[in-house]
Structure formats: C-alpha cells, structure tokens
Amino acid sequence: MQKKKMLKTAAAVSAALAALASGACAEEALTTETVHVTASRVEQELLDVPMSVSVITQKDIERSNAQTVGDLLKDVPGVRVMNDGSQGMKRIQIRGEDAFRTIVMIDGQRIAEHKSMSGAPILIDPSMIERIEVIKGPASVLYGSDAIGGAVNIITKKGGTKPLEGEVSAGMNTSNSGKSLYGSVYGGAGGWTYRFSAGIEDAEDLHTAKGDVDNTAFSSRSMQGYVAYDFTPDTRAGFTLEHYDLDFQTGLQDMQPSGYDDFAVNVPEWKRTKGAVFFESKNITENFVRLRADAYVQKNDKYMENRVWMNPMKMDSFADNELLQYGVSIQTDWQLGDRHYLIAGYEFLYDDLEAQTNTHTRVAIGGPMNMYSRKLTENDGYQMSHAVYASMESALTDTFALNYGARYTWVSSEVTTHTGRNVTMDGSTPGEPDLTDKEKSDSSDGHVVFNLGGVWRGIEHTAVRAIWAQGYRSPNLMERYIPTSMGGGEVVPNPDLDPETSDNFELGVRFTPGRAVLDIAAFYSKADDYIASFEFESNRYTNKNVSGAKTHGIEVTASYLFESGFEPYVSGTWLRRKFEEGGESTYDSGTPELYGRYGVRWTGLLEGLWLRADAYAVSQSDTAQYDFDSGTTTSYGGSTHFNLTGGIGFGPQNAYSLDVGLYNITNKAYKLSNAIYEPGRYFSVKFNAKF
C-alpha cells in the first residue's frame, strides 16, 4: 500500500510540473556527443572511447547533496558504494571488484594505500571537483596496477577566464545534521590562471529508519591552490597544492558482531597533502602533437584506534601510519600519418611507508592469572614501480577505428619489521616494549598486459564498441610483509604472493539521436590468483593466491528529453558474479543481481527562472554473501526507496542556484553491507553562487 501511495504522489508531482511546463522551453540537452573525456589519456568525444565510461559533470556535483565523493558515485551503473560502518570514508566497487582492485586518481595521480583492509581512500571534498570519469573494466594498460575493476579519475577545478571570479556554496543535510561551506576565488589574465579554495564539512551521528547510529560522526577540512602560466597558446606550466583533513568514526547497529562484547574503530586523523607540478606543450611538430610531464609528492597520515573485546580477551590497537608517495609521468602523443594516433609514456611511482602498531591485549585466565601483553611493531618499507606503455588508435576505414596497446610494469618492494613484546601475568600494565626482533623481506617482479578493441561509427549518432583487456594487480606491502590484526585474529603476510590477473571482454553500443541517450554494455571477466586469507591455526590466517571470480552482466543507461522538458530515464546493472576460493565456488558474492536508478526529471524556463525537478527511485535485489571460512551465508533483503529533488537557477547567466531534496520518502530501512543501515527519511538544501 505504501508503494502505491508513493506512485500516486509521483504522478501528482509530474502533473503539477506539466502544468508549469506549459509555454516553457526545455534546457539544452546534454548528449554523449557534447561530452569530452580523457579516459583514454587523450581528450575525445565520449562516442569515440572504446570502453565503458560514465561522467559526473560539474552541474551534477553542484546540484547534489553529496557529502563525500562516494555519495556522488552511488548511482553510476556498475558501481556500488560501501560505507564499512562509517559516513566519512566510503569506498567503491566496480562490477563486483572491491576497492583494492580499483584505482582512485586525482588529476591522473593515484592515491595509494598499503596498510588497510578496505583499499584506497577517496580523500577530497566534492566541492573541489570539476568532474569525475569512471572507467569500468580493466584499465591496467592505461593506468597500471590495481585497475582490474576499473579506475576513477577525479578532475579538480582550475582557473577562470576573467581577472577575478568567485563562487561560494553552503548546504545542510538532516540525515546527520550535516553542514557544509565552500568558497573559491579564481580567474585568469595576462597568461596566468589561478584558483584558491577552501571547504568544510561537519556531520553528526547518522539517523536511520532503525534509529541513530552511535560513533558515525565525521568532519573534514580542505584547501586547494592552483597557479598556471601560458608561455604560448600551446604551452602551459603550473603547480597545485592540496590538503584534506578527515576525522571519522565507525559505528555498528542492532548488535555487535557475533561473539564480540565491544567493537569500535576511531580515526581521529587521516590527512592527504599533495604538491604537484606539470608542463604541457601541444603542436610541437607536425607529428609530435603533445608532450605532458607531471611530478608530485603526496603524503597520507593516518592514526587509527581499534577496539576488539571478546570474552575473555580485550584487545586495543593503535596504528600510526605515514605513506609518502613520489610520482613522475611523461606522456607523448604522436600523429602518424592521417590514420594513426599513438600515445606512449613512462611512469615512476615510489611509495614510502612508515607504520607503527601498538597492541594492548588483556586475557582473564582465571584466579590470579590475568595476562596483559603489550606488542609494538614498526614497519619501514617501500614499493617502487617503473612502467612503460603505448596505446595506438588506427582508423582502418572512415567508420572503424582499432585501439590496441600494451604496458610493462616492474615492481620492487622491501619492508623491515621491528617487533617487541612485554607480558605480565598479574594484570599490571607492562612497560614499553623494546624493539628486539628484526626481519627484512624484499621481492621484485615484472608483468605485461595488453588490450585490443575497436569502435564502429557507420550509423549516424551511433558508436558500437568492443574490447578485450587484461587486468593486473601487484600485492601491496601489507599483503606481502606486514602482519595485521583482524577481528581479534592475526593475518600473517606472504612474501611469495603472485600478482592478481584478469581477462575482460565487453561489447557495447552508444546511441544519441538528438534528444535520446542509450548506452548498453555487456561484459564478461575472468579473474585469477586473487589474494585471500586462510586460517592455518586458531585465529591465525595467511595470504594465498587461491581465489578468483567469473563475472558477467549488462549495464544500461537510457533517457529521452521531450520538448516539454520532461525526461524519463533509467540507469541500471544486471550482474552475476561467481566467486571461487579453495576449490569451492558460490554466486553469493555480496553483490546484488539487479540494482539501479529510474525516474523522470524536468527542466524548463519560466518567467526568467530555470526550474528543475527529479522524481526517482533507487532499487536493488536481494543480496547474499558466503563466508568460505565459516561456511555461513549472510543475506540482505532487497530494497526500493523513493526520492524527490528540485531546484531553481536565477540571476545573470544563471549565476545563483538553490537545490532541495527529500530522500527515502517512505523511511525505508535497508542495508548495503552488514555494517549499518543507510539513512532514513531526510531533507537537504544547497545554495550556490558565482560572481
């Protein structure tokens, strides 16, 4: 009955908007033929890209209530956003592959992570972003290790065209009493362009349909600076400075994990600071059309507190990690004759990790025996990689272009581990351990990957694409060398791990005849040598290359913009993923078979005001996840929640906008993982101004 009422409400809203649309003119349609992307490392029309790419534009970001980048990505076909029990730190899965197998980049420069159970973090304020390109399927030839699932490239805002411009935004969100504020000054004159920005985000504990979730508050502070100079119309150099400071907590809801008396994670500090310089020159000679060089230094500081209490054991761990990244890339573009375009480049990455873990363990043995152990571990290591790559596009005919490429990556790693432990048996606090034990490990390996694809444009407004691509992921420092606590147990690293690999096949079509947009992709991937942990004695695990997955599915994006301004749309994914581990296999891989977003939006001009509205639903089917260690399956029910957003643009050149949204209108209780429920019914408002 509740769903029927919602459908009636949506119909009523649509009727009201239809009345407003009388005599109104629709906003210009944005089709894939007007969108340019850099997913293939060169700017192209989206129709010409031989892979599945979704773009989140600056307008999408400005109108969104998103508090994190994960919130921006949650409705992209093939993408799922996981919260891991926190609001401030969200990670993504692409086509079922987890965050470890997805590269996250900011302006083409990756964020690495070598000591985490959940993959690379996305450490940037949404207000700083110009657009996001999501590349689905292996992108290892173009972007390197970790791109088995795909790649997310976040492009930041740059300078302006007038000497002095600016923008401000402010928002609030009742799902967590959230408040945001952003300001930027930017411009350009005399060959110079610049931007200086700052933003804050504060949110309290999450409100869900099942009640508030303790320990889920977060806050962030961010700053950005950009300066560039055009020596000639074709030559530019510049630098960027970025800083992002995040403080968040992880909460649980309904109950503690089975067997736990208390479980909590607190991250009072996770900072990303980056300095980068670049140089770009175009049209150097008739054949040498572009040279791009980038260098950056990026520092990630993380301090984490983890409590795991399981009767009769109480364990508190304190981790202090510093990851210093150095990166250099050089890319050259060549026009070889009339029909061949070559991209060739070199990349160097050096990740320097210093990690300290202090673990306090208390065990009530009985009687006078109460063991208290303090274990101190310090890890000092690096992972260095060199890569060369080449990607060619050859126009074999006027309507068919072939894309093919290869990348060779050489990776070397080394970690020195110091450990010490003090134990008392009377319950008294032991002293600080001396680092008496030392172990040094190192390894190196090289790997080559290939891709082959093509795009056919024999029909107007249509592009048919097909691609085969290999994926590759080198084990990180934690998996190879660093012992890690996990839910009261210990994961023992394995220095002999092999890289993870995959083969991916995709066939797709993009069709954009004026007001319509249709993009369909069918894909299949086979991944081998996944790294998984196996229990070899009580509460002790080790990493092995014994897992894999076979995934197939279809992604669809479709819409049609009527002259009245109404635009029905749908974006969704059907996916089947068979996970294999230790000789067993299951389709209960934690990914729903069906998920997507569908609705109708409207834009129109009424008495000088640009109006917009969007009534939509988000649905997913039942989800189940099988645990190979315990032999148990955890199930999550399917869900559908309804949402209604609207906005107004006004002022000279539409410089001001106000957007509001009512989300999860029926207050649906649903989960995307076993951590916490998603937000219940909530309201958001956001104001933007440019001057």
Side-chain angles (χ1 to χ4, degrees):
M1 290 295 294
Q2 199 170 32
K3 290 184 179 179
K4 289 182 179 179
K5 289 181 180 179
M6 276 308 307
L7 291 174
K8 291 180 180 179
T9 301
V13 171
S14 297
L17 290 176
L20 283 174
S22 178
C25 115
E27 194 173 17
E28 183 181 355
L30 183 67
T31 73
T32 55
E33 290 179 319
T34 63
V35 175
H36 286 72
V37 298
T38 57
S40 56
R41 301 192 77 110
V42 62
E43 186 171 311
Q44 289 180 292
E45 287 184 7
L46 187 55
L47 276 175
D48 292 326
V49 177
M51 61 190 78
S52 286
V53 179
S54 293
V55 181
I56 299 172
T57 68
Q58 187 170 346
K59 281 188 177 181
D60 295 332
I61 298 169
E62 289 175 352
R63 297 171 182 178
S64 168
N65 76 310
Q67 297 175 310
T68 69
V69 177
D71 296 326
L72 290 172
L73 297 171
K74 62 185 179 182
D75 293 327
V76 174
V79 173
R80 297 194 74 226
V81 177
M82 312 305 290
N83 59 40
D84 290 336
S86 65
Q87 300 186 84
M89 177 59 67
K90 296 184 179 181
R91 295 177 173 88
I92 68 167
Q93 297 177 345
I94 298 180
R95 293 180 176 175
E97 301 288 2
D98 64 21
F100 273 121
R101 302 179 182 103
T102 299
I103 285 183
V104 176
M105 299 173 289
I106 297 178
D107 292 323
Q109 297 159 353
R110 64 185 297 169
I111 299 176
E113 178 58 47
H114 287 278
K115 199 170 183 297
S116 169
M117 303 300 292
S118 303
I122 307 178
L123 300 171
I124 186 171
D125 189 309
S127 300
M128 305 284 183
I129 299 171
E130 176 185 300
R131 72 180 188 276
I132 304 175
E133 298 178 6
V134 182
I135 305 161
K136 291 167 283 187
S140 295
V141 166
L142 292 175
Y143 294 105
S145 178
D146 295 351
I148 284 181
V152 176
N153 191 17
I154 299 167
I155 293 97
T156 59
K157 295 176 180 177
K158 304 299 192 299
T161 56
K162 301 176 182 178
L164 180 62
E165 300 176 72
E167 63 177 309
V168 295
S169 69
M172 57 83 65
N173 185 320
T174 64
S175 70
N176 49 24
S177 303
K179 296 170 283 292
S180 65
L181 183 65
Y182 166 78
S184 180
V185 176
Y186 59 99
W192 292 93
T193 54
Y194 68 92
R195 179 181 289 266
F196 300 100
S197 307
I200 61 173
E201 186 86 48
D202 285 306
E204 299 177 8
D205 289 342
L206 182 66
H207 312 309
T208 78
K210 293 288 187 177
D212 293 353
V213 188
D214 295 335
N215 303 318
T216 52
F218 76 94
S219 65
S220 67
R221 303 290 184 268
S222 58
M223 293 181 290
Q224 179 192 47
Y226 167 86
V227 177
Y229 180 71
D230 293 336
F231 297 94
T232 71
D234 290 326
T235 303
R236 169 176 287 191
F239 69 89
T240 60
L241 295 173
E242 299 169 4
H243 180 74
Y244 183 79
D245 188 350
L246 176 66
D247 172 357
F248 72 96
Q249 298 170 297
T250 295
L252 297 170
Q253 199 165 359
D254 293 339
M255 57 180 291
Q256 296 290 340
S258 178
Y260 290 69
D261 297 317
D262 194 8
F263 182 91
V265 177
N266 180 33
V267 184
E269 177 183 282
W270 200 335
K271 297 179 181 179
R272 181 183 70 89
T273 304
K274 185 177 83 170
V277 295
F278 72 90
F279 173 84
E280 184 174 49
S281 184
K282 299 179 181 179
N283 303 315
I284 301 167
T285 68
E286 182 179 354
N287 301 113
F288 189 8
V289 297
R290 181 171 174 258
L291 169 66
R292 172 81 187 204
D294 291 85
Y296 70 98
V297 177
Q298 186 165 247
K299 184 180 179 183
N300 283 272
D301 289 307
K302 177 175 64 174
Y303 183 78
M304 183 176 71
E305 302 166 352
N306 184 203
R307 167 170 290 183
V308 180
W309 287 11
M310 305 168 61
N311 188 44
M313 182 192 73
K314 296 181 178 180
M315 185 172 74
D316 293 279
S317 298
F318 308 90
D320 190 357
N321 304 330
E322 178 185 291
L323 179 62
L324 193 59
Q325 298 177 251
Y326 303 89
V328 175
S329 65
I330 300 173
Q331 179 178 313
T332 60
D333 294 17
W334 304 83
Q335 184 69 55
L336 306 178
D338 295 332
R339 293 186 174 272
H340 304 283
Y341 195 91
L342 172 67
I343 297 171
Y346 163 78
E347 289 185 349
F348 168 78
L349 296 171
Y350 187 93
D351 299 338
D352 189 347
L353 176 68
E354 293 183 6
Q356 182 185 90
T357 303
N358 200 332
T359 303
H360 296 220
T361 305
R362 287 150 289 181
V363 181
I365 300 175
M369 302 292 288
N370 291 284
M371 186 188 76
Y372 192 152
S373 167
R374 292 186 65 183
K375 182 180 179 181
L376 180 63
T377 304
E378 289 188 355
N379 302 284
D380 185 5
Y382 71 85
Q383 184 172 88
M384 177 174 61
S385 68
H386 299 267
V388 290
Y389 63 90
S391 180
M392 176 83 86
E393 179 179 291
S394 297
L396 301 185
T397 70
D398 291 340
T399 59
F400 180 72
L402 190 67
N403 295 266
Y404 47 100
R407 171 186 285 253
Y408 175 77
T409 304
W410 181 80
V411 180
S412 64
S413 305
E414 180 183 295
V415 170
T416 300
T417 301
H418 300 267
T419 58
R421 186 179 183 187
N422 280 344
V423 179
T424 62
M425 300 303 294
D426 59 2
S428 61
T429 304
E432 183 79 10
D434 294 325
L435 297 174
T436 56
D437 298 328
K438 176 182 177 181
E439 182 177 354
K440 182 177 180 180
S441 303
D442 62 82
S443 63
S444 62
D445 61 72
H447 197 88
V448 61
V449 291
F450 301 92
N451 71 346
L452 174 65
V455 177
W456 178 73
R457 295 192 61 175
I459 302 175
E460 188 178 8
H461 308 301
T462 303
V464 179
R465 64 187 184 275
I467 189 170
W468 161 73
Q470 292 182 310
Y472 158 72
R473 174 179 174 265
S474 180
N476 61 28
L477 295 178
M478 181 182 71
E479 292 166 327
R480 273 186 166 148
Y481 308 120
I482 302 174
T484 307
S485 298
M486 181 184 69
E490 181 185 25
V491 179
V492 178
N494 182 356
D496 298 321
L497 290 172
D498 295 323
E500 300 178 343
T501 59
S502 72
D503 284 277
N504 183 84
F505 303 87
E506 181 180 314
L507 179 63
V509 59
R510 297 186 183 104
F511 180 54
T512 59
R515 295 182 174 275
V517 174
L518 176 64
D519 194 329
I520 301 177
F523 57 89
Y524 170 80
S525 69
K526 183 178 184 299
D528 297 306
D529 298 321
Y530 273 180
I531 297 168
S533 59
F534 279 82
E535 190 171 17
F536 64 92
E537 59 184 50
S538 179
N539 285 329
R540 298 197 75 204
Y541 303 79
T542 189
N543 295 319
K544 294 183 179 180
N545 292 101
V546 291
S547 299
K550 295 177 182 177
T551 308
H552 62 274
I554 297 174
E555 295 164 354
V556 177
T557 299
S559 65
Y560 186 84
L561 179 61
F562 291 94
E563 290 187 5
S564 62
F566 283 100
E567 185 178 16
Y569 67 92
V570 60
S571 61
T573 304
W574 172 74
L575 185 146
R576 291 283 285 161
R577 182 171 173 82
K578 183 180 181 181
F579 201 80
E580 302 167 344
E581 188 169 297
E584 295 185 75
S585 64
T586 180
Y587 278 102
D588 295 335
S589 58
T591 303
E593 186 173 345
L594 289 168
Y595 55 99
R597 169 175 168 164
Y598 47 96
V600 58
R601 52 189 169 230
W602 173 83
T603 56
L605 182 62
L606 185 65
E607 297 183 359
L609 301 176
W610 278 110
L611 305 178
R612 52 186 173 269
D614 191 355
Y616 68 95
V618 177
S619 299
Q620 71 169 35
S621 60
D622 295 348
T623 308
Q625 185 160 10
Y626 177 73
D627 188 308
F628 287 94
D629 288 327
S630 65
T632 60
T633 300
T634 304
S635 299
Y636 317 102
S639 64
T640 296
H641 61 275
F642 299 90
N643 313 273
L644 183 62
T645 65
I648 181 172
F650 56 97
Q653 297 182 335
N654 215 20
Y656 308 102
S657 65
L658 180 68
D659 286 89
V660 298
L662 181 60
Y663 301 89
N664 195 2
I665 296 173
T666 60
N667 204 31
K668 175 73 175 180
Y670 68 100
K671 285 185 175 183
L672 299 179
S673 69
N674 63 353
I676 57 177
Y677 284 94
E678 296 300 306
R681 183 189 301 113
Y682 68 98
F683 173 79
S684 75
V685 59
K686 186 176 182 180
F687 174 74
N688 291 279
K690 297 182 180 181
F691 52 88

